[in-house]
Amino acid sequence: DRLERYPRLRVGAVDDLSEGDVDTFTYPLEGTSNFLTRIDGEAWGGVGPDASIVAYNSLCTHMGCGVEGQVKPDQEMAGPCPCHYTTFDLSKGGLVVSGAATTDLPQVRLEVEDGDIYATGIDGLVYGSRHNLR
Ligand code: FES
């Protein structure tokens, strides 16, 4: 499949997401998996009452291993990646903190409307993609 522009997709609700929760969702294409979480503190691009709700693509930017199982909201990080130990800072746009990756984790843009959380785009290229919408 192929999209002309980023869709707006409901991915959760502020009241359903407690601090420490990690949910997964597919966006913008069927095979593109991401995670939604509420970290312990304010985040760049964060939404919700404390700007602590963030979402990122699940694929490590080094070689594409999944990091959704290593999300630690209380430490504001994703990682260490199970493959080569990269850790990403979820409060700072997915910044590489340590490890083999040199590119930050793509951040999913979020908006809140009437308590619902919507994905509206992705900043950064998803691992293995030439274009996030194709
Ligand atoms: Fe994640 Fe290599 S694939 S650090």
Side-chain angles (χ1 to χ4, degrees), residues 60-65 67 81-86 88 99-101:
C60 178
T61 54
H62 178 229
M63 291 181 73
C65 291
V67 295
C81 172
C83 294
H84 318 93
Y85 313 110
T86 297
F88 301 96

Side-chain angles (χ1 to χ4, degrees), residues 39-96:
I39 64 168
D40 183 16
E42 206 172 300
W44 296 356
V47 296
D50 315 319
S52 59
I53 297 172
V54 287
Y56 289 89
N57 186 251
S58 297
L59 298 184
C60 178
T61 54
H62 178 229
M63 291 181 73
C65 291
V67 295
E68 70 281 348
Q70 274 69 39
V71 179
K72 301 179 180 83
D74 56 325
Q75 297 171 42
E76 307 185 350
M77 68 150 92
C81 172
C83 294
H84 318 93
Y85 313 110
T86 297
T87 298
F88 301 96
D89 189 334
L90 302 180
S91 72
K92 296 190 172 64
L95 188 75
V96 175

